[in-house]
Amino acid sequence: MEARIRARVNLALTFFALLFFVAGSSPPRQFVISNAERRIDLSSHIINVHLTLKVENAGTRPASEVVLALTPTEVDHLAMVDASAIKGKRKKTTSLRLEVKPTELPDAPPIDTKYFTIYLANPLNSGESTTLEVLYVFTHFLEPFPAEIAQSESQLVFYHDTALILSSYHIKQQTTFIKTPSTKVESFIRMEPTNRVGTEIKYGPYEDRPPYSISPIHVHFENNSPFAVVEELVQEIEISHWGNIQVTEHYKLIHAGARHKGVFSRVDYQSRQSSNGASSFRYLLARLPPRVHSVYYRDEIGNISSSHLRTDSLKSELQIEPRYPLFGGWKATFVIGYGLPLQDFLFESSDDKRYLNFTFGCPLIGMVVDKLTIKVVLPEGSTDPSPVVPFPVEHHLEL
Amino acid sequence: MATMPASASDLLKSFKLKTKQQELLIRVSILCLVYILAFITRLFSVLRYESMIHEFDPYFNYRTTLYLTENGFYDFWNWFDYESWYPLGRIVGGTLYPGLMVTAVLIYRILRFLRFAVHIREVCVLTAPFFASNTTLVAYFFGKEIWDSGAGLVAAILIAVCPGYISRSVAGSYDNEGVAIFALLFTFYVFVKAVNTGSLAWSLASAFGYFYMVSAWGGYVFIINLIPLYVLVLLITGRYSMRLYVAYNCMYILGMLLAMQIRFVGFQHVQSGEHMAAMGVFFLMQVFYFLDWVKHMLSDTKLFQAFLRITVTSAVAVGGIALGLGMVSGYISPWTGRFYSLLDPTYAKDHIPIIASVSEHQPTAWSSFMFDFHILLFLFPAGLYFCFKRLSDATIFIVMYGLTSMYFAGVMVRLILVATPAVCLISAIAVSTTVKNLTVLLRSKNKVVQTGSTKGSGGSKSSSKALLDQSQPFQKNGAIALLFGAFYLLSRYATHCTWVTSEAYSSPSIVLAARGAHGNRVIFDDYREAYFWLRQNTPQDAKVMSWWDYGYQITAMGNRTVIVDNNTWNNTHIATVGRAMSSYEDEAIEIIRSLDVDYVLVVFGGVTGYSSDDINKFLWMVRIGGGVFPVIKEPDYLVNGEYRVDKGAAPKMLNCLMYKLCYYRFGEMMTEYGKPPGYDRARGVEIGNKDVKLEHLEEAFTTSNWIVRIYRVKPANNRW
């Protein structure tokens, strides 16, 4: 869950994050990757890539900076990157989160590769090896093809990648698994050994590939998961003296998949639901904090009656339905508002300061947020506010 | 007050209130309660549904109010609206009554100034209830002026819950009438006050009241004709006085000058036939004044009689000639169709189908009188009787107001609204007088009983009793019975009003509610679904063609340009749309392309059984279209003088654009269990043409219950 929130947040902040380059790097050739396994999950429009690397220090000196390489297109669509080191064996594994920072390498290789550096907690001595787990999250990465579909067609998308993992290190053995949402795969480029079983395509294992070797592939497959994108989200958090936090969220939602073409027939949509409007979506689920009250869901022209709220002691779930089903390219704007008890979120410290501890991000599940603005309205009489966010954000104070 | 229990009066005594103070306290608290009651009884719609604008016209008012808040008064005044009446547009500032919008914005600004962060929509929704509350106060003072404070209180209570008024002033019914009834009653009250006192200040106030009324509603014409008529009646009945002279002249001249400031009204006060009566009476007043002066100067009665004859004849002749010249030269415009249709209920039916097509312009049925007035309908004649028994300048006014407005209420359903205050006031007189007479009877008895009991002798009691009621033997019992009867009737009235308000008048008509199979409430929010779809998923400059009923809603909620809307100022334009809807598709597409239309919107109730849809309105499209374009002939659509949609329908009906758009692919649809596919639930028949093919249009959107269907106009084929 936390990773997902961070995913959304990072997406909005990628561009800021990229500004913080860290100068200085270790020689890239120091490591050798003895085994690499990549699992690409294409089941929704948010792509999760799990990369497991077994890194071995082949150099002579201890080193602590492992460099990851990404293509420029990947970097453009990268929402977040997260790395952790795996310790222990078999069932007793523990993972330790590691710092990852974008880097620029002076001796750039042929293609415009972008780099991220993982800072290991303890330097790796010569000859030692460790296992790293890296998670990349990409958004807006699947390209609908055909770009326009009729109501009865399902949505086909292209996924472009390389069968060989782009790396600045020598990889001794690597395998890539691509998981598609269904067995309907129109086409994919083979690179032997390639094997397709059910919803999974396996590339590899490939042995002993030199650094920077790539082999472009694409997968053309059916993906009818909701391509729900919030183009802009403005979240207002208003803190009241009277023990209440009022949250108002203004959404601009769009279906970012293949554009709807031609007619929208209600009779087909109602009577043949399995084969009609497969890529459209109707329901959205928002996970709100527990003890939420006064929830409303409306737009510019009034209340939208199709929403349900389920509350329990741990969480509240708000299921909302836009006024009409969203087909490709269709938009909807709406506002969700709710009140929260102040004591759940506001803490007082001994130095006479108060802290508001609030989750950063969008409560809607499975959603990509392109632009996120959070406004915190402080009660009258507040002085010297300062935000604490675990990643760089642009912020300013309005009076 | 008379029957107050001893403990309560002891309690009151401990507060050291004198009887007069007690009476004042009770009166003020009753008024406060009535004020609150009038407001909260109108909130059913907000509680049942939500704080939203209702119906059709209020959406235009809301949209203009929004514009006024955002752009300020001068921009509003000069606003040319490109989004309606495409391609003609509409000069909004010059074609509306701005009173309502300015009032709402004023309230909004005051609330904002007081640091209440309200949205303008909430202000608009609650404007009508707020003014209804104010109307109850005016009704109290008016009743006090024409009768006594008791009648005033009863009038306030009656008008607070009267369905005839509530129908136009529930929360969300953001229409001109909401504030106009307040303005109307206020003007009348202040004018009567001015006539009673002869005070220049009161007549000045009535001029401003009139100005506010003119700025708020076209119904001001009623004032500017009723007041001269009233003055005329006073003149004829020999009640001419200096008070009347001052009141009328000041009110008329200042009111006219002020009214000219409203752009939509302009110079009508001196140029339109509807306002000429007021001017004629104004001149007549001057003649009367002159004659009075001459009479004062001439001591000879015979000479005066001769002079009177000459003056009156010549004055009438000059007036008549001036009017005739004005009419002929076109300086004075003739009466408008709406005005004619008021005087002659059959006029609109024959000449102006567009007026006749509006349901609220139909002649009133008896049932709706009963529905809207309930017991007031019986109390009204009784009140008239009391008024005639105690004739004064004020009661003559209320009698005239009551009688004329009752007539208009009979002509048009919506004018029940204008009659409501008069009916409430007159009924209040009846109730108040009856109850008062009865309690006076009871009180005198009580005194006798008390004195008798203190004396302790049965014989003297009976003897004094016999002394008092010599005429009727069971007077006391009769009085009690009658009082109970009166209160029973009043309680029935209150129950009826609440029931009517909650059941009939509190539906926003944008959101439809029905009972589901398990008794649960099902909401059909199809209108907003469609309008919001238009707003979000069509190009910003898309032109939408629909029947004019939905024009205001499409511009306000859909934010898209419409061809025609509810401001039915251009009959030809509406007829063009009517013609397109009633032609075959290939003929209609020519009209649609010539109007640069991108989307066509129809309302269809066949799936839900919603009866006020476009197929049921279709006869008016044919009639209005045919009124301007003779190619459309109504008999082509009729079978034995009937509109039908089933197999027996006329072939032109089965293939016209409206039929096709409503029933496109409806033939595949199962609407009701046990009925064939394509069963129209609104009309209860299986449709006649199930194989509807569209050539130039394609379905763009249909709402979840099929109530609104939107079609896209396909681009023209390339010519080879």
Side-chain angles (χ1 to χ4, degrees), chain B residues 129-130 151 156 181 235 239 241 291 294 406 415 467 498 542 548 565 569 577-578 585 603 617 630 656 708:
Chain B
F130 173 63
I181 290 304
L235 292 183
R239 285 172 170 269
S241 64
L291 285 175
V294 169
M406 262 314 220
L415 292 181
L467 267 174
T498 316
W548 61 265
D565 68 24
W569 64 276
V577 173
E585 194 189 351
V603 171
K617 287 173 185 168
C656 70
V708 184

Tab-separated table of all heavy atoms in Angstrom, chain B residues 129-130 151 156 181 235 239 241 291 294 406 415 467 498 542 548 565 569 577-578 585 603 617 630 656 708:
chain	number	residue	atom	x	y	z
B	129	PRO	N	-37.825	30.586	-0.477
B	129	PRO	CA	-38.369	30.427	0.870
B	129	PRO	C	-38.183	31.662	1.742
B	129	PRO	O	-39.072	32.038	2.502
B	129	PRO	CB	-37.586	29.246	1.443
B	129	PRO	CG	-37.138	28.495	0.281
B	129	PRO	CD	-36.913	29.490	-0.805
B	130	PHE	N	-37.036	32.297	1.588
B	130	PHE	CA	-36.772	33.500	2.375
B	130	PHE	C	-37.813	34.570	2.051
B	130	PHE	O	-38.386	35.195	2.941
B	130	PHE	CB	-35.359	33.995	2.080
B	130	PHE	CG	-35.028	35.315	2.691
B	130	PHE	CD1	-35.020	35.468	4.072
B	130	PHE	CD2	-34.736	36.407	1.900
B	130	PHE	CE1	-34.721	36.689	4.645
B	130	PHE	CE2	-34.437	37.633	2.462
B	130	PHE	CZ	-34.435	37.772	3.838
B	151	ALA	N	-57.065	39.348	11.890
B	151	ALA	CA	-57.147	38.922	10.496
B	151	ALA	C	-55.751	38.869	9.892
B	151	ALA	O	-55.434	37.975	9.101
B	151	ALA	CB	-58.031	39.868	9.711
B	156	ALA	N	-51.391	35.698	7.704
B	156	ALA	CA	-49.987	35.291	7.676
B	156	ALA	C	-49.876	33.772	7.753
B	156	ALA	O	-49.098	33.145	7.018
B	156	ALA	CB	-49.234	35.939	8.830
B	181	ILE	N	-44.013	37.791	-5.766
B	181	ILE	CA	-45.236	37.790	-4.957
B	181	ILE	C	-45.033	38.661	-3.725
B	181	ILE	O	-45.919	39.408	-3.316
B	181	ILE	CB	-45.620	36.346	-4.577
B	181	ILE	CG1	-46.097	35.612	-5.824
B	181	ILE	CG2	-46.707	36.326	-3.535
B	181	ILE	CD1	-47.239	36.298	-6.544
B	235	LEU	N	-63.557	56.268	-7.775
B	235	LEU	CA	-64.093	57.496	-8.361
B	235	LEU	C	-65.572	57.328	-8.648
B	235	LEU	O	-66.383	58.193	-8.337
B	235	LEU	CB	-63.348	57.829	-9.661
B	235	LEU	CG	-61.885	58.242	-9.560
B	235	LEU	CD1	-61.341	58.610	-10.917
B	235	LEU	CD2	-61.728	59.412	-8.604
B	239	ARG	N	-65.938	57.877	-3.927
B	239	ARG	CA	-65.001	57.872	-2.810
B	239	ARG	C	-63.731	58.645	-3.138
B	239	ARG	O	-62.687	58.425	-2.546
B	239	ARG	CB	-64.645	56.417	-2.454
B	239	ARG	CG	-65.750	55.706	-1.729
B	239	ARG	CD	-65.438	54.250	-1.586
B	239	ARG	NE	-66.397	53.615	-0.694
B	239	ARG	CZ	-66.200	53.512	0.631
B	239	ARG	NH1	-65.115	53.976	1.170
B	239	ARG	NH2	-67.123	52.926	1.384
B	241	SER	N	-60.995	61.201	-2.989
B	241	SER	CA	-60.532	62.031	-1.879
B	241	SER	C	-59.142	62.535	-2.211
B	241	SER	O	-58.481	62.050	-3.137
B	241	SER	CB	-60.487	61.211	-0.590
B	241	SER	OG	-59.531	60.189	-0.746
B	291	LEU	N	-62.182	69.608	-11.608
B	291	LEU	CA	-63.611	69.792	-11.405
B	291	LEU	C	-63.905	70.148	-9.948
B	291	LEU	O	-64.741	71.011	-9.671
B	291	LEU	CB	-64.362	68.511	-11.784
B	291	LEU	CG	-64.483	68.258	-13.281
B	291	LEU	CD1	-65.123	66.912	-13.530
B	291	LEU	CD2	-65.287	69.352	-13.951
B	294	VAL	N	-63.154	73.650	-9.592
B	294	VAL	CA	-64.168	74.489	-10.233
B	294	VAL	C	-65.430	74.508	-9.372
B	294	VAL	O	-66.042	75.556	-9.161
B	294	VAL	CB	-64.461	73.972	-11.655
B	294	VAL	CG1	-65.683	74.641	-12.227
B	294	VAL	CG2	-63.263	74.180	-12.545
B	406	MET	N	-58.906	36.106	-9.136
B	406	MET	CA	-59.601	34.826	-9.253
B	406	MET	C	-59.961	34.563	-10.708
B	406	MET	O	-59.863	33.437	-11.192
B	406	MET	CB	-60.873	34.843	-8.402
B	406	MET	CG	-60.707	34.187	-7.068
B	406	MET	SD	-59.889	32.626	-7.156
B	406	MET	CE	-60.798	31.676	-6.018
B	415	LEU	N	-51.476	31.486	-12.834
B	415	LEU	CA	-51.895	32.717	-12.178
B	415	LEU	C	-52.637	32.467	-10.874
B	415	LEU	O	-53.000	33.415	-10.187
B	415	LEU	CB	-52.737	33.556	-13.126
B	415	LEU	CG	-51.909	34.114	-14.289
B	415	LEU	CD1	-52.756	34.950	-15.203
B	415	LEU	CD2	-50.738	34.936	-13.791
B	467	LEU	N	-81.593	36.075	30.537
B	467	LEU	CA	-81.579	37.467	30.117
B	467	LEU	C	-80.693	37.668	28.891
B	467	LEU	O	-81.023	38.434	27.992
B	467	LEU	CB	-81.038	38.326	31.260
B	467	LEU	CG	-82.084	38.940	32.219
B	467	LEU	CD1	-81.392	39.638	33.365
B	467	LEU	CD2	-82.982	39.915	31.450
B	498	THR	N	-49.452	20.525	4.012
B	498	THR	CA	-48.192	19.812	4.214
B	498	THR	C	-48.098	18.633	3.256
B	498	THR	O	-47.056	18.404	2.642
B	498	THR	CB	-48.113	19.300	5.660
B	498	THR	OG1	-48.540	20.346	6.513
B	498	THR	CG2	-46.725	18.891	6.011
B	542	ALA	N	-19.829	23.000	-29.521
B	542	ALA	CA	-20.851	22.150	-30.135
B	542	ALA	C	-22.227	22.794	-30.004
B	542	ALA	O	-22.546	23.408	-28.996
B	542	ALA	CB	-20.852	20.779	-29.471
B	548	TRP	N	-37.519	23.258	-27.299
B	548	TRP	CA	-37.095	24.418	-26.518
B	548	TRP	C	-37.173	24.233	-25.022
B	548	TRP	O	-36.499	24.935	-24.272
B	548	TRP	CB	-37.859	25.661	-26.951
B	548	TRP	CG	-39.357	25.626	-26.792
B	548	TRP	CD1	-40.250	25.277	-27.756
B	548	TRP	CD2	-40.130	25.957	-25.645
B	548	TRP	NE1	-41.518	25.360	-27.272
B	548	TRP	CE2	-41.488	25.782	-25.979
B	548	TRP	CE3	-39.813	26.388	-24.357
B	548	TRP	CZ2	-42.514	26.013	-25.084
B	548	TRP	CZ3	-40.843	26.619	-23.459
B	548	TRP	CH2	-42.183	26.427	-23.827
B	565	ASP	N	-34.392	28.045	-26.818
B	565	ASP	CA	-34.579	27.760	-25.402
B	565	ASP	C	-35.893	28.320	-24.892
B	565	ASP	O	-36.729	28.788	-25.663
B	565	ASP	CB	-33.364	28.204	-24.576
B	565	ASP	CG	-33.205	29.709	-24.535
B	565	ASP	OD1	-34.187	30.433	-24.718
B	565	ASP	OD2	-32.070	30.162	-24.313
B	569	TRP	N	-38.741	33.786	-27.638
B	569	TRP	CA	-38.976	35.089	-28.266
B	569	TRP	C	-39.076	35.001	-29.788
B	569	TRP	O	-39.622	35.891	-30.419
B	569	TRP	CB	-37.899	36.083	-27.861
B	569	TRP	CG	-36.509	35.745	-28.328
B	569	TRP	CD1	-35.647	34.907	-27.704
B	569	TRP	CD2	-35.837	36.222	-29.483
B	569	TRP	NE1	-34.476	34.820	-28.388
B	569	TRP	CE2	-34.566	35.630	-29.491
B	569	TRP	CE3	-36.169	37.096	-30.512
B	569	TRP	CZ2	-33.639	35.875	-30.495
B	569	TRP	CZ3	-35.241	37.349	-31.511
B	569	TRP	CH2	-33.982	36.730	-31.492
B	577	VAL	N	-37.140	24.333	-35.698
B	577	VAL	CA	-36.770	23.111	-34.974
B	577	VAL	C	-37.929	22.120	-34.997
B	577	VAL	O	-37.741	20.918	-35.225
B	577	VAL	CB	-36.346	23.447	-33.523
B	577	VAL	CG1	-36.132	22.191	-32.725
B	577	VAL	CG2	-35.099	24.286	-33.536
B	578	GLY	N	-39.137	22.636	-34.800
B	578	GLY	CA	-40.312	21.776	-34.850
B	578	GLY	C	-40.447	21.108	-36.210
B	578	GLY	O	-40.767	19.911	-36.301
B	585	GLU	N	-36.060	12.049	-42.257
B	585	GLU	CA	-34.667	12.307	-41.884
B	585	GLU	C	-33.895	13.078	-42.955
B	585	GLU	O	-33.154	13.999	-42.643
B	585	GLU	CB	-33.952	10.987	-41.577
B	585	GLU	CG	-32.627	11.214	-40.875
B	585	GLU	CD	-31.804	9.951	-40.765
B	585	GLU	OE1	-32.321	8.873	-41.074
B	585	GLU	OE2	-30.635	10.058	-40.377
B	603	VAL	N	-35.814	13.670	-25.507
B	603	VAL	CA	-36.179	13.106	-24.209
B	603	VAL	C	-37.220	12.034	-24.459
B	603	VAL	O	-38.198	12.257	-25.163
B	603	VAL	CB	-36.719	14.212	-23.286
B	603	VAL	CG1	-37.312	13.613	-22.031
B	603	VAL	CG2	-35.606	15.157	-22.916
B	617	LYS	N	-44.947	15.497	-26.380
B	617	LYS	CA	-44.937	16.914	-26.726
B	617	LYS	C	-44.952	17.105	-28.235
B	617	LYS	O	-44.954	18.234	-28.709
B	617	LYS	CB	-43.680	17.578	-26.166
B	617	LYS	CG	-43.710	17.776	-24.675
B	617	LYS	CD	-42.377	18.288	-24.166
B	617	LYS	CE	-42.413	18.366	-22.654
B	617	LYS	NZ	-41.080	18.583	-22.092
B	630	PRO	N	-46.065	25.757	-43.833
B	630	PRO	CA	-47.274	24.991	-44.195
B	630	PRO	C	-46.982	23.604	-44.746
B	630	PRO	O	-47.912	22.805	-44.863
B	630	PRO	CB	-47.937	25.868	-45.259
B	630	PRO	CG	-47.315	27.207	-45.115
B	630	PRO	CD	-45.943	26.990	-44.598
B	656	CYS	N	-40.915	10.004	-39.141
B	656	CYS	CA	-40.375	11.342	-38.932
B	656	CYS	C	-39.171	11.262	-37.989
B	656	CYS	O	-38.951	10.255	-37.320
B	656	CYS	CB	-41.432	12.281	-38.397
B	656	CYS	SG	-41.906	11.897	-36.725
B	708	VAL	N	-32.795	10.479	-21.703
B	708	VAL	CA	-32.234	11.435	-22.649
B	708	VAL	C	-31.392	10.673	-23.663
B	708	VAL	O	-30.583	9.828	-23.302
B	708	VAL	CB	-31.372	12.497	-21.935
B	708	VAL	CG1	-30.886	13.522	-22.927
B	708	VAL	CG2	-32.154	13.177	-20.841
